[in-house]
Amino acid sequence: MSQDHHHQELGFIQKYIFSVDHKVIGVQYGVTALIFLFLGFCMMMLMRWQLAYPGEEVPILGGLLGSGWLPDFMSAGDVDASTYNTLGAMHGTVMIFLGVVPLGVGAFGNYLVPLQVGAPDMAFPKLNAASYWTYFAGGVVMMLGFFMPGGAANSGWTSYPPLSIFASNGQTVWLVGMVLLITSSLLGSVNIIVTIIQLRAPGLSFFKLPFFVWAQLVTSFILLLAFPPLEAAGVLQLMDRVAGTSFFLPTGLVQSNMPLEIAGGGNSLLWQHLFWFLAHPEVYVLILPAIGIVTEIVVNNTRKPLYGYKTLVYSGIFLGFMSFLVWAHHMFMTGMGETMSDFFQVTTMIISIPSVVVLTVLIITLWGGSIRFNVPMLFAVAFLPMFAIGGLTGLPLGLTASDIYFHDTYYVIGHFHYVVAPGTLFALFAGIYYWYPKVVGRKMSSFWGKIHFWGSLISINLVFFPMLLQGISGLNRRMYDPTFYEHGASIQSLNVIISYAAWALGLVQLIFILNFFLSIKFGKKVGDNPWQATTLEWATPTPPPHGNFLSEPTVYHGPYEYSVPGRTEDYLPQHVQA
């Protein structure tokens, strides 16, 4: 019995639900992550109502919130202070750990890495399936916190002790969910590393790998090295909450005018060190897959070789290495000492260099190209200035003199979201539009895709650029009512503008959702290589069968040989011998 025939006999559940095929798992990751992104976005839109119109009942939803069938903490028609804290903590957690990372690494990495290295599957297919289901379980556990007394976690996405030790029961659920999510990432990163190193097609040397694969390799090493400290910290904080330990509780703590006998000998700053040792490399876990996606699309649509391929690779590796040496620039306000502050100032300035190199390489690649401005290319090109704004606005936060002023203001929110929202999310949208034909066999609508792009570009900048102005004005973040202080009330009009822009951004995403699902049936049918690309994933049938390739590919060329002199076509696939 042939292997293909055996797999044709698998039942629906075994084939599509509990599959060990990397492509099915990639799609599972993608759909699940998009659902979580939608939920996280909805949380943000509720928060934006409170910030624009403090204390007023939420329109339409207000009646549902007060209907009595929702959890107690959401039983009022407005977003009260407790609900606001919960939404803030869960919005950050869901968008980063349940949305962007699983989409960039779990979905794109799972689906594309074996295809781009010419492998029939991941190195450890069952481990791959375990990775997805651990992620799914972690997401479900975390969301169950909404239905617990007191609601979900409400100590911010950073979960700083000692407040997080005494928070509602949702915080315990949050910690269990984080342990599951971290375990999932560790399983997935080991799989990607081994697949890239061991399962490359004949002739595919490291410097013939597409940059997307390099980005996934560096990202997986970051996850493998940076996540274990946070997993250990999560277990320790869980013990502080449920077992009476005192890892993060210093001596002399008082709660409700009563000294805490269990507190003693712990260190709250230890959590911050362990958390940010992961959470700053996490920024590059978000951004490196995005850069990999953008590189593939920019090179394909300029129809010319990538400028400085090795420079880009070395910059990505250096970025990954340096990401472990900058974590404490989030902690300048903790009084760590002048020498330590100076060290982290210097490393923060150094880590900006490879980011500038990456942008320079991509911009020079665009120079003089015969550019095709299709929907993936629009999102990919827009990524470049958005990521640049995110990086530039981060520099003042890496210097103690300016960070003292900007710390915990809306400037931090604007900076971080410029990296993650119009930055990383634009790259992920570009990747979805670009590889959708390979997964489904049909293209998404170009017309509606361009409306989605322009609507998103305009509204998302109206959301985050005013936040930079709010931060410069000194408006503190995490405030339930920004009009409480006079300096906040004087710029309240900016909050109204931001909120309307956020709701417009939400409406525009409905276009993407409809386009995504309707194109499965009504999209334009395409062949195996609709973008005339050079990398190996386009050498498979569409959609790829189990085992991916009809015969083992042999690689003869680099990943981006476009417009080769003397050839009739303007591209030379890696597996085609010249």
Side-chain angles (χ1 to χ4, degrees), residues 166-184:
F166 309 115
S168 64
N169 290 332
Q171 189 68 29
T172 302
V173 174
W174 186 92
L175 290 165
V176 173
M178 281 300 298
V179 169
L180 290 170
L181 293 176
I182 294 169
T183 303
S184 165

Side-chain angles (χ1 to χ4, degrees), residues 295-368:
T295 301
E296 301 298 311
I297 295 169
V298 165
V299 179
N300 175 260
N301 287 293
T302 53
R303 314 308 294 169
K304 56 180 282 196
L306 174 66
Y307 177 87
Y309 168 80
K310 287 189 177 181
T311 303
L312 192 62
V313 170
Y314 291 137
S315 295
I317 295 171
F318 184 64
L319 200 66
F321 171 76
M322 285 300 299
S323 70
F324 291 97
L325 300 177
V326 296
W327 80 88
H329 68 209
H330 296 271
M331 300 171 58
F332 285 145
M333 301 291 284
T334 61
M336 69 178 76
E338 193 173 317
T339 302
M340 291 297 290
S341 294
D342 289 345
F343 173 81
F344 286 107
Q345 282 185 102
V346 171
T347 56
T348 302
M349 296 304 108
I350 291 173
I351 203 172
S352 66
I353 297 172
S355 299
V356 173
V357 171
V358 167
L359 286 173
T360 303
V361 165
L362 292 173
I363 290 169
I364 295 177
T365 300
L366 288 168
W367 185 266

Side-chain angles (χ1 to χ4, degrees), residues 74-94:
M74 294 180 67
S75 60
D78 62 342
V79 179
D80 59 23
S82 176
T83 304
Y84 183 85
N85 283 338
T86 297
L87 292 174
M90 293 303 294
H91 165 74
T93 304
V94 168

Side-chain angles (χ1 to χ4, degrees), residues 264-282:
N267 190 339
S268 298
L269 289 183
L270 174 61
W271 168 268
Q272 291 194 34
H273 281 290
L274 294 171
F275 180 86
W276 288 115
F277 188 77
L278 168 275
H280 197 88
E282 181 80 0

Side-chain angles (χ1 to χ4, degrees), residues 175 460 495:
L175 290 165
I460 209 164
N495 265 324

Side-chain angles (χ1 to χ4, degrees), residues 22-264:
H22 74 97
K23 298 179 294 298
V24 176
I25 294 170
V27 171
Q28 288 175 324
Y29 260 115
V31 173
T32 309
L34 286 171
I35 291 171
F36 278 123
L37 282 174
F38 178 75
L39 292 174
F41 194 90
C42 291
M43 296 175 199
M44 179 273 292
M45 289 196 287
L46 283 172
M47 294 169 66
R48 287 310 322 172
W49 174 263
Q50 167 60 24
L51 291 171
Y53 302 107
E56 295 187 22
E57 183 177 285
V58 180
I60 303 173
L61 287 176
L64 295 176
L65 292 173
S67 62
W69 60 271
L70 287 172
D72 290 342
F73 85 106
M74 294 180 67
S75 60
D78 62 342
V79 179
D80 59 23
S82 176
T83 304
Y84 183 85
N85 283 338
T86 297
L87 292 174
M90 293 303 294
H91 165 74
T93 304
V94 168
M95 296 299 269
I96 294 173
F97 296 109
L98 292 173
V100 176
V101 174
L103 189 56
V105 180
F108 283 101
N110 257 303
Y111 199 97
L112 293 171
V113 164
L115 294 175
Q116 289 199 337
V117 302
D121 206 322
M122 281 288 196
F124 309 113
K126 291 183 178 179
L127 201 68
N128 205 18
S131 171
Y132 169 74
W133 286 107
T134 308
Y135 154 67
F136 182 81
V140 170
V141 166
M142 213 171 253
M143 299 306 288
L144 285 176
F146 280 107
F147 300 94
M148 297 187 69
N154 54 11
S155 302
W157 77 282
T158 56
S159 189
Y160 280 1
L163 291 178
S164 59
I165 308 296
F166 309 115
S168 64
N169 290 332
Q171 189 68 29
T172 302
V173 174
W174 186 92
L175 290 165
V176 173
M178 281 300 298
V179 169
L180 290 170
L181 293 176
I182 294 169
T183 303
S184 165
S185 292
L186 293 176
L187 296 176
S189 57
V190 167
N191 221 343
I192 288 175
I193 291 169
V194 176
T195 300
I196 294 171
I197 293 175
Q198 295 289 346
L199 298 186
R200 301 190 311 280
L204 186 60
S205 64
F206 275 102
F207 283 110
K208 288 182 181 177
L209 290 172
F211 182 70
F212 175 85
V213 176
W214 273 108
Q216 292 287 332
L217 181 63
V218 175
T219 300
S220 296
F221 270 111
I222 293 175
L223 287 170
L224 194 61
L225 297 173
F227 250 143
L230 183 59
E231 184 157 27
V235 173
L236 295 182
Q237 188 175 126
L238 194 61
M239 297 300 288
D240 276 7
R241 287 185 56 85
V242 301
T245 58
S246 189
F247 293 106
F248 303 118
L249 296 176
T251 304
L253 275 182
V254 175
Q255 183 185 25
S256 301
N257 295 321
M258 295 291 293
L260 288 172
E261 295 181 3
I262 63 167

